[in-house]
Amino acid sequence: MIKELEIIDKKGPSNRRPDWLRVKLPSGEKFKEVSQTIRDNNLNTVCSEARCPNMGECWGAGTATFMILGDVCTRSCSFCAVKTGRPVQGLDWDEPRRVADAAAKMKLKHVVLTSVNRDERKDGGAPIFAECHKVLRETIDGVTIESLIPDFRGVWDALQTVIDTPPDVLSHNLETVPRLYRTVRPQAKYERSLELLKRVKAQGVRSKTGIMVGLGETREEVIELMQDCVDHNVDVLTIGQYMQPTKMHHPVVEWVHPDLFAEYKEIGEKLGIEHVESGPLVRSSYHAERHV
């Protein structure tokens, strides 16, 4: 019998996930190989740090999303399982080499990078993103890259550092509708995130963002957010179900039915977003190779 992951959610609509959110536990030789490669190179992945439900599928297929700049985030978003605090170390300039080495060993042709927030630094850690792009292209012939970046507190020189060595896709997540920012994403600003996405696209880089649903937003608010994406020339939008990582995090307000996810995809693409990836298990890096 296939074991299934369950969720602890005492404050949400139900203690039990609906059937469409059941996923297989990670297993298999390829999963073990990826896990060992990550350990051998002393790297972090958002897959494990954020407890992604697709980790078994993606690692089983030999792909992973590398989380750079350490494993301690300077922000305290109520949806996120990554550790919060003040990082004690500076930038790890050997990290780009280790990322490229791991990606080469995993035979990746498309590499996804993300990071914690490093708000204690004026540059936000942007130079490590840029160096990763450079070293990956030197190491893997024909590699494509997606980088999911923080907002760098609106320090646009830091953003420019990333854009100057551009990935194929530059992503920054809005995460939720503006009304919920105070409780879900208190150290971020919705308009600042939109401005970042606009600046990315204005320099000719493919832009992408993602949101979670089930946090208490309304259908109308999601549609308004999609219109904001159109107005700021976002190329790709991902929409997935929020899942509470622990009982200390923001509760799940609603298990969104797959039919509504399908409707969101149809509406978003009719509004003018080139590609909307929408489904209960969708995460920002899920099927990322399709977004290039």
Side-chain angles (χ1 to χ4, degrees):
M1 181 178 293
I2 297 174
K3 293 184 178 179
E4 295 170 335
L5 297 178
E6 292 293 344
I7 191 169
I8 299 173
D9 183 10
K10 295 181 179 179
K11 296 181 182 179
S14 171
N15 288 345
R16 188 176 179 85
R17 290 185 186 184
D19 290 342
W20 61 81
L21 286 171
R22 307 288 181 85
V23 294
K24 295 179 182 178
L25 285 170
S27 63
E29 287 305 313
K30 196 65 178 178
F31 178 88
K32 293 177 183 177
E33 288 175 18
V34 171
S35 182
Q36 189 62 50
T37 300
I38 296 297
R39 287 197 299 269
D40 289 347
N41 286 272
N42 191 28
L43 296 169
N44 300 301
T45 68
V46 74
C47 321
S48 54
E49 293 291 334
R51 306 181 187 182
C52 179
N54 300 314
M55 187 168 67
E57 177 186 348
C58 294
W59 286 26
T63 65
T65 297
F66 300 104
M67 190 176 79
I68 61 175
L69 300 175
D71 63 353
V72 178
C73 186
T74 52
R75 299 195 184 179
S76 52
C77 300
S78 66
F79 64 86
C80 185
V82 176
K83 292 186 295 243
T84 296
R86 185 176 179 84
V88 295
Q89 77 274 25
L91 298 182
D92 179 357
W93 286 99
D94 187 55
E95 190 170 44
R97 180 197 62 78
R98 299 198 309 275
V99 167
D101 182 62
K105 288 177 179 176
M106 293 161 65
K107 297 182 173 57
L108 299 183
K109 287 300 182 181
H110 183 71
V111 177
V112 183
L113 305 172
T114 187
S115 77
V116 294
N117 286 273
R118 293 294 298 269
D119 289 339
E120 87 284 6
R121 299 183 58 89
K122 185 176 181 179
D123 63 18
I128 296 297
F129 272 103
E131 188 67 12
C132 281
H133 300 164
K134 177 184 175 184
V135 177
L136 278 165
R137 297 198 191 281
E138 291 173 348
T139 304
I140 304 173
D141 186 42
V143 70
T144 55
I145 304 168
E146 176 183 323
S147 282
L148 172 57
I149 60 173
D151 62 19
F152 299 124
R153 295 176 295 109
V155 178
W156 303 127
D157 285 346
L159 173 63
Q160 195 62 48
T161 297
V162 179
I163 294 176
D164 285 345
T165 56
D168 298 272
V169 180
L170 196 47
S171 180
H172 172 69
N173 284 343
L174 292 169
E175 305 292 9
T176 188
V177 300
R179 177 177 58 84
L180 297 178
Y181 262 51
R182 181 171 293 183
T183 55
V184 174
R185 202 180 176 214
Q187 292 127 311
K189 296 179 181 178
Y190 183 75
E191 292 298 333
R192 183 167 67 192
S193 289
L194 286 175
E195 175 67 18
L196 182 150
L197 291 164
K198 180 179 178 180
R199 287 171 178 263
V200 167
K201 187 61 179 177
Q203 294 201 44
V205 182
R206 189 164 175 79
S207 61
K208 175 179 171 181
T209 193
I211 64 168
M212 303 165 289
V213 291
L215 286 158
E217 72 294 326
T218 67
R219 176 181 177 277
E220 290 71 25
E221 286 175 320
V222 173
I223 294 172
E224 289 172 5
L225 179 146
M226 289 194 285
Q227 183 61 57
D228 286 339
C229 289
V230 173
D231 294 342
H232 289 76
N233 301 313
V234 173
D235 294 304
V236 181
L237 170 66
T238 63
I239 307 175
Q241 170 71 53
Y242 168 64
M243 298 184 202
Q244 185 183 32
T246 75
K247 63 182 180 181
M248 303 300 293
H249 289 83
H250 193 291
V252 175
V253 176
E254 178 186 6
W255 298 119
V256 177
H257 193 274
D259 289 348
L260 184 52
F261 281 104
E263 183 182 355
Y264 283 149
K265 176 178 175 63
E266 181 179 359
I267 292 172
E269 292 180 350
K270 281 185 176 179
L271 285 172
I273 302 171
E274 180 184 322
H275 181 75
V276 178
E277 188 93 35
S278 180
L281 290 172
V282 167
R283 295 296 180 266
S284 58
S285 58
Y286 187 55
H287 293 162
E289 69 282 356
R290 302 177 183 178
H291 305 155
V292 175

